[in-house]
Amino acid sequence: MQKGYIVFFLLLISYINGHAQKYPDLAPTPPMGWNSWNYFVCHINEHKIKRMADAMASNGMKEAGYRYIVIDDCWQIARDKDGYILADPKKFPHGIKALADYIHAKGLKFGIYSDAGTMTCQKRPGSAGYEDKDAQRYAEWGVDYLKYDYCNTEGMNPVVQYTAMRDALYRAGRPIVFSLCDGGKNKPWLWADTVGQLRRTTNDIQNMFATGHGVLKIFDEQSLIRIYNKPNSWNDPDMLQAGNIVLTYIQSRTHFSLWCMMSAPLIAGNNLRYMNQKILKVLTNKNAIAVDQDRLGIQCFLRAKTDNGIEVWFKPLANGDFAVCFLNRNLTTASLDFKWPQAAMDDDFQRSYNIPDDCAILNIWNNKDLGTTKTNIKATIKGQDVLFVRLTNTHKRW
Ligand code: GAL
């Protein structure tokens, strides 16, 4: 459809609906939580989801900022005679409301999944034509977050479909974070700012690091759309694979570092109940999370590349600090000897981010002091590892 028609159509819908909108300020920083898909895929039930909530509430994740427990596809089974959505009674014998209550009682928030088309990607009933009924149910159940997919949408328009659910959520009267998930196919970063709080910008993440549609591939794709990332309007490069088999500890930690550098939503996708302590420490590292949750929400940019191939990514932070991530993509260990750039940087924000020579350097992963920016930073970085630091101007804020 031509752009002009879409705009006209949207204005018409908005007029008919009495100017519905997205709920304001529901995600000033990138949402943090857990989602069932990466680990359980379709094999979900209320017992498993409750155990994930128990784990999040007791293992330090909640204190670190994680909030949402999100059930992905396969919880729905049919619609009742009035068109309301029904949960699979074998998997969720006590119903969705009871599960939401359980999660809320732990001080956490509850998320659910549906699809803008006639069926979800796993062929469960979709929400097309039932937006208001579904939104009403979600509000009654106490849903706080909706992930909304885009399968089985032949002949439909994504802006129209997603706006219809946005407006239904608004009418239902409960603040529900709206997470668009079309795999980036319809370039939602160009139009979804007014529709939802986050939008998937890419195809599903594969449980791989340097191959396939894994961590590095997705990280690279994101650079092209970094300028669209901002508070309440996040690019979503998909959920974390950290802690899932295949990825090593170092790869998981690099994956997490890069997602924090992007200010990406941090939605864990591993089995929280049986995760090893090293992975838990990655997921709950306060320094790393502070970078992700920085209120400016600026997605990192590539500032330099050393002769031996280490990439130097920068992320300006709200208090004038910088996060800097030295990424060694290669399989072999590389040594770093880097002179901090004094010259103004060329960036999209028309601001000059030069590094004063009196910044203190904190190693984010081990919380150790690494001196100041007066001298070159020297380190050895293992293959596929990062050196992830925070620079703080000790004398002045700028
Ligand atoms: C995909 C989506 C995944 C997962 C899956 C469920 O389209 O990208 O994250 O939700 O559908 O069927």
Side-chain angles (χ1 to χ4, degrees):
M1 207 194 282
Q2 292 296 305
K3 244 189 183 161
Y5 284 118
I6 296 176
V7 172
F8 172 75
F9 205 58
L10 286 178
L11 287 174
L12 188 69
I13 292 175
S14 130
Y15 175 75
I16 295 166
N17 287 338
H19 309 289
Q21 52 173 299
K22 80 175 186 184
Y23 263 94
D25 216 26
L26 289 188
T29 59
M32 294 173 67
W34 174 88
N35 172 298
S36 57
W37 186 254
N38 283 357
Y39 185 79
F40 290 115
V41 199
C42 244
H43 311 291
I44 44 167
N45 59 42
E46 67 181 34
H47 173 78
K48 289 177 182 171
I49 305 294
K50 281 179 171 177
R51 298 299 78 82
M52 294 306 117
D54 295 345
M56 185 184 281
S58 61
N59 67 5
M61 288 179 77
K62 183 178 157 190
E63 285 70 27
Y66 291 84
R67 281 293 173 278
Y68 297 97
I69 294 280
V70 183
I71 323 179
D72 209 281
D73 209 347
C74 303
W75 63 269
Q76 338 69 333
I77 195 152
R79 292 192 176 275
D80 68 13
K81 62 174 177 31
D82 299 318
Y84 287 99
I85 191 77
L86 296 172
D88 182 338
K90 286 206 183 95
K91 294 178 169 187
F92 297 91
H94 297 93
I96 301 297
K97 167 102 175 64
L99 183 58
D101 290 348
Y102 183 91
I103 290 168
H104 288 148
K106 303 243 155 213
L108 299 172
K109 296 189 169 201
F110 174 62
I112 212 164
Y113 165 99
S114 190
D115 188 289
T118 51
M119 284 185 295
T120 71
C121 303
Q122 303 303 315
K123 304 208 171 357
R124 309 295 166 123
S127 292
Y130 295 93
E131 288 84 358
D132 276 304
K133 289 193 164 145
D134 286 355
Q136 271 168 34
R137 273 291 180 269
Y138 303 155
E140 286 160 21
W141 289 340
V143 169
D144 304 298
Y145 183 110
L146 172 66
K147 174 174 169 183
Y148 206 52
D149 220 319
Y150 203 66
C151 282
N152 303 300
T153 49
E154 291 69 30
M156 298 180 190
N157 177 291
V159 184
V160 172
Q161 292 307 110
Y162 278 106
T163 306
M165 184 47 102
R166 175 201 73 177
D167 294 348
L169 291 173
Y170 196 77
R171 282 191 292 271
R174 182 178 170 89
I176 295 179
V177 169
F178 193 29
S179 157
L180 283 68
C181 175
D182 80 330
K185 286 179 210 80
N186 300 291
K187 297 193 168 64
W189 50 89
L190 296 179
W191 51 265
D193 174 27
T194 55
V195 184
Q197 282 74 25
L198 61 159
R199 65 241 159 196
R200 271 278 295 281
T201 47
T202 176
N203 247 324
D204 286 15
I205 185 168
Q206 291 178 325
N207 193 0
M208 297 172 177
F209 185 78
T211 50
H213 199 249
V215 171
L216 291 181
K217 175 93 173 107
I218 291 186
F219 180 64
D220 290 337
E221 288 169 1
Q222 300 308 299
S223 310
L224 305 172
I225 53 168
R226 57 174 295 279
I227 57 163
Y228 300 100
N229 208 48
K230 59 180 183 189
N232 292 299
S233 182
W234 304 105
N235 290 335
D236 173 6
D238 208 359
M239 304 169 294
L240 297 164
Q241 290 285 13
N244 283 333
I245 45 158
V246 181
L247 290 196
T248 64
Y249 164 68
I250 285 189
Q251 291 171 340
S252 285
R253 198 176 69 164
T254 297
H255 173 22
F256 195 81
S257 310
L258 299 179
W259 262 232
C260 290
M261 285 296 285
M262 290 190 286
S263 263
L266 296 178
I267 308 292
N270 58 328
N271 186 340
L272 303 184
R273 203 174 172 197
Y274 298 114
M275 109 174 91
N276 81 41
Q277 287 303 305
K278 280 170 82 177
I279 294 295
L280 179 61
K281 280 198 170 152
V282 169
L283 294 182
T284 55
N285 182 288
K286 289 199 172 61
N287 298 330
I289 290 173
V291 169
D292 180 80
Q293 296 287 301
D294 182 77
R295 71 177 162 76
L296 290 185
I298 297 178
Q299 193 172 315
C300 62
F301 52 89
L302 183 64
R303 175 69 176 95
K305 197 165 174 177
T306 65
D307 292 341
N308 58 353
I310 296 174
E311 291 177 2
V312 189
W313 292 84
F314 271 67
K315 178 183 191 334
L317 303 173
N319 65 351
D321 287 7
F322 285 92
V324 182
C325 189
F326 297 93
L327 168 65
N328 177 13
R329 292 174 183 253
N330 301 321
L331 291 169
T332 47
T333 300
S335 48
L336 175 75
D337 184 350
F338 182 72
K339 180 172 166 33
W340 294 100
Q342 301 298 316
M345 289 182 224
D346 168 25
D347 77 298
D348 315 59
F349 297 92
Q350 305 296 314
R351 284 171 58 186
S352 58
Y353 293 127
N354 51 325
I355 304 293
D357 65 8
D358 54 359
C359 283
I361 308 173
L362 175 77
N363 184 332
I364 284 186
W365 284 117
N366 64 15
N367 208 38
K368 289 204 171 127
D369 178 5
L370 285 179
T372 74
T373 50
K374 255 193 190 89
T375 52
N376 285 13
I377 181 165
K378 294 184 184 177
T380 334
I381 307 178
K382 286 191 190 138
Q384 301 187 325
D385 203 355
V386 290
L387 173 66
F388 188 15
V389 301
R390 181 174 185 129
L391 309 183
T392 300
N393 186 335
T394 47
H395 299 304
K396 57 181 186 297
R397 299 281 168 219
W398 69 95

